[in-house]
Amino acid sequence: MIIDLHIHSKYSFDSIQSPSKIIKIAKKNLDGIAITDHGTIKGGLEAKKINKDPNLIVIVGCEINTEIGDIIGLFLNKEINSRNSMEVIREIKAQDGIVVLPHPYRGHKLNEELLNSVDAIEGFNARSTIEENEKGMELAKKYNKPIVAGSDAHFTSEIGNAKCCINEEIGDLKLALLSHKKIYCNPSPQHYKEISQIIKSFKMRKIKKFRFKSYI
């Protein structure tokens, strides 16, 4: 079973891909996806609702920005309210979710409490550099954490650029994801990251204008 555990939809401030388009692309070469939008589970919930393919698993997730950097929650059914790292972890686990530390060497302030509390570390992220991914792999081994992979796709052409190949015989998907698995990574081109920042700037300006008008 091949799963991409880190995908963004239009519900993230730096992506425009629709959940329906993500599903259409994912069905071509994946058995499962996790939609992990910034700050919300809306994309994952929508994708799960519209997915009619019994052969494609949709995991509802969220990437939450905290004071130490991003934290991903998988298998969620409610929004994560806190933005404090340890509170976020507690909220994820209260939903029986899995806590993933994504791209640990991109925008994080790592500490022992955090590293001991997460369930898995993203060793391969298609938007990270080779050096960042190598350091992520070493970190996971140092703290004896399962290694997972995700494309961090913001565009459909990136979906599946990093993925996990898990053992279907384990039965329980959460246990399988936290067990030994093969992982693959095909780095995304740099210009995709730059375009994401342009989208972010445009969408954030629209949000600010809307908020300003609402006060008039």
Side-chain angles (χ1 to χ4, degrees):
M1 182 180 291
I2 301 174
I3 301 180
D4 184 342
L5 289 173
H6 191 162
I7 297 175
H8 293 274
S9 80
K10 65 180 182 180
Y11 292 101
S12 286
F13 51 68
D14 50 2
S15 176
I16 56 174
Q17 48 182 0
S18 67
S20 59
K21 185 67 172 179
I22 293 171
I23 289 171
K24 182 179 179 180
I25 298 301
K27 289 194 313 185
K28 295 179 180 179
N29 54 19
L30 294 171
D31 302 300
I33 56 172
I35 296 188
T36 55
D37 284 313
H38 294 292
T40 183
I41 62 173
K42 289 179 180 177
L45 290 176
E46 182 175 321
K48 192 164 188 175
K49 182 178 179 180
I50 64 178
N51 178 40
K52 305 301 180 185
D53 188 343
N55 296 314
L56 181 72
I57 295 170
V58 175
I59 299 170
V60 178
C62 182
E63 185 171 17
I64 306 102
N65 184 253
T66 75
E67 84 287 354
I68 58 82
D70 293 331
I71 294 173
I72 284 179
L74 300 177
F75 301 96
L76 304 179
N77 51 63
K78 295 188 297 184
E79 297 283 13
I80 301 299
N81 296 314
S82 180
R83 293 299 180 263
N84 171 271
S85 58
M86 297 312 297
E87 284 296 325
V88 166
I89 289 173
R90 279 190 279 273
E91 282 193 52
I92 294 170
K93 293 190 175 184
Q95 297 185 44
D96 198 27
I98 290 177
V99 181
V100 177
L101 178 64
H103 46 74
Y105 288 96
R106 218 174 74 215
H108 281 85
K109 299 176 182 177
L110 303 175
N111 61 67
E112 291 289 321
E113 184 180 25
L114 171 76
L115 292 166
N116 287 320
S117 299
V118 300
D119 297 311
I121 292 176
E122 192 178 60
F124 275 142
N125 179 296
R127 284 190 162 213
S128 293
T129 65
I130 292 173
E131 181 183 8
E132 287 168 343
N133 281 331
E134 287 177 347
K135 290 172 69 176
M137 295 278 284
E138 291 171 3
L139 184 71
K141 291 174 183 176
K142 178 181 177 180
Y143 284 87
N144 196 29
K145 298 291 181 178
I147 297 168
V148 297
S151 65
D152 204 351
H154 290 65
F155 303 99
T156 52
S157 55
E158 297 180 279
I159 294 172
N161 274 357
K163 52 205 171 190
C164 303
C165 185
I166 67 173
N167 185 356
E168 293 182 71
E169 295 179 2
I170 293 178
D172 183 279
L173 181 56
K174 293 180 186 178
L175 181 60
L177 287 173
L178 297 177
S179 301
H180 178 72
K181 68 190 78 64
K182 294 180 180 179
I183 53 179
Y184 304 91
C185 187
N186 178 36
S188 291
Q190 176 65 29
H191 67 268
Y192 281 132
K193 305 171 195 175
E194 295 166 358
I195 296 171
S196 292
Q197 291 306 306
I198 294 172
I199 292 171
K200 177 181 177 180
S201 297
F202 177 74
K203 291 177 79 171
M204 294 306 287
R205 277 202 302 270
K206 286 186 71 175
I207 291 170
K208 287 178 182 177
K209 285 181 180 179
F210 174 79
R211 287 176 177 169
F212 176 74
K213 287 179 181 179
S214 69
Y215 285 106
I216 298 175

